[in-house]
Amino acid sequence: MIFAGNFKTNHTRSSTKEYISILTKLVTNERVYIFPPSIALDKFEDSSIKIGTQNAYPTKNGAFTGEIGLEQLDEFDIKTILIGHSERREVLNENQEDIASKFKFFQDNGFEIIYCIGEPLEVRKNGEKAVIEYLLSQFNGIDLNYDNLIVAYEPIWAIGTGVSASIEDIKGIHKALKEVVKSPLLYGGSVKIDTIKDISNIDEVDGVLVGSACLDANKFYEMMSIK
Ligand code: PGA
């Protein structure tokens, strides 16, 4: 199982340090990724946890106020990136074209990419066929044959709401996605300690992308140990 934790705009540089040190001592054989805010990125040398960036601009360096590029990531040997998260699509207005060119840039630079897709509630209301169609459109311009790829399915209506998709829903969508996605497929959206067991038992789920429930290192680890 893959456990990826997305801090979003939570934790500071010092609390991230403490978090990684706590989690490093607990984690044994799971594949664990943590995405701290960019200001907290660092090398964390004695840790088996993979540190990734929540975002970056597709550039080595340059005049892109407020952004970070390859040069800043290289300083900390960061080689993993989240691309296509719904908050970047919806709140920060990244369109599919922006996302595809970001994907291409980081693919060309050998990054491990966790590529996120997910439908809004209006689409979900139209049924599974409409959802699949919408999700497939989020693969436009994306090289699904890239071998350093992980895909995360995160229905927008389940993110941060406390209500995850039902086991049946996850099963149905993951099964359909597995027809085109050969890389590991994560589920995300209100994954919690009390739902992790059922979610991780779904054959088509290779791991989870967790937001709010990963913010406490001990609780995130508890999730890993009961999966
Ligand atoms: P959540 O966030 O677990 O708080 O719903 C998941 C995500 O956005 O990756």
Side-chain angles (χ1 to χ4, degrees), residues 14-219:
S14 72
S15 71
T16 299
K17 217 176 201 167
E18 198 186 332
Y19 180 108
I20 299 296
S21 126
I22 295 170
L23 196 59
T24 299
K25 288 188 197 110
L26 296 170
V27 165
T28 45
N29 50 10
E30 303 293 348
R31 204 167 142 192
V32 182
Y33 296 78
I34 293 292
F35 296 85
S38 58
I39 201 153
L41 292 176
D42 213 333
K43 279 195 174 168
F44 302 105
E45 258 148 7
D46 296 317
S47 179
S48 63
I49 297 164
K50 248 194 198 168
I51 304 295
T53 185
Q54 295 174 20
N55 181 47
Y57 200 75
T59 186
K60 181 169 187 288
N61 52 28
F64 304 98
T65 301
E67 297 285 335
I68 57 168
L70 264 191
E71 197 170 274
Q72 289 76 34
L73 296 170
D74 282 350
E75 182 180 10
F76 302 118
D77 300 330
I78 306 290
K79 276 295 202 188
T80 305
I81 185 168
L82 271 186
I83 294 181
H85 191 279
S86 64
E87 284 149 17
R88 295 216 56 91
R89 293 179 190 263
E90 307 279 308
V91 186
L92 295 146
N93 295 324
E94 280 186 14
N95 62 33
Q96 189 59 30
E97 213 178 303
D98 301 329
I99 290 168
S101 59
K102 191 177 283 193
F103 187 102
K104 167 117 187 26
F105 179 86
F106 286 99
Q107 174 179 8
D108 289 347
N109 282 285
F111 273 61
E112 178 169 34
I113 298 174
I114 300 197
Y115 183 68
C116 308
I117 55 172
E119 82 286 359
L121 193 55
E122 311 88 81
V123 174
R124 162 59 58 178
K125 282 181 181 153
N126 295 330
E128 194 171 292
K129 198 165 165 270
V131 173
I132 305 291
E133 213 167 277
Y134 185 92
L135 297 176
L136 293 180
S137 76
Q138 294 184 315
F139 290 137
N140 284 346
I142 302 300
D143 178 6
L144 287 179
N145 292 320
Y146 181 42
D147 56 10
N148 216 354
L149 174 67
I150 295 176
V151 172
Y153 167 56
E154 300 198 294
I156 298 175
W157 46 272
I159 294 179
T161 58
V163 185
S164 101
S166 71
I167 298 303
E168 280 315 301
D169 283 346
I170 301 173
K171 219 182 239 176
I173 301 294
H174 273 233
K175 214 170 214 168
L177 287 173
K178 285 268 182 185
E179 311 239 320
V180 291
V181 173
K182 300 297 165 225
S183 36
L185 184 57
L186 314 183
Y187 168 77
S190 292
V191 178
K192 305 260 178 261
I193 285 186
D194 44 340
T195 53
I196 185 65
K197 206 174 172 80
D198 289 342
I199 293 174
S200 61
N201 277 338
I202 302 172
D203 281 347
E204 293 79 9
V205 168
D206 303 304
V208 285
L209 177 54
V210 183
S212 32
C214 83
L215 294 176
D216 178 308
N218 288 296
K219 291 202 177 125

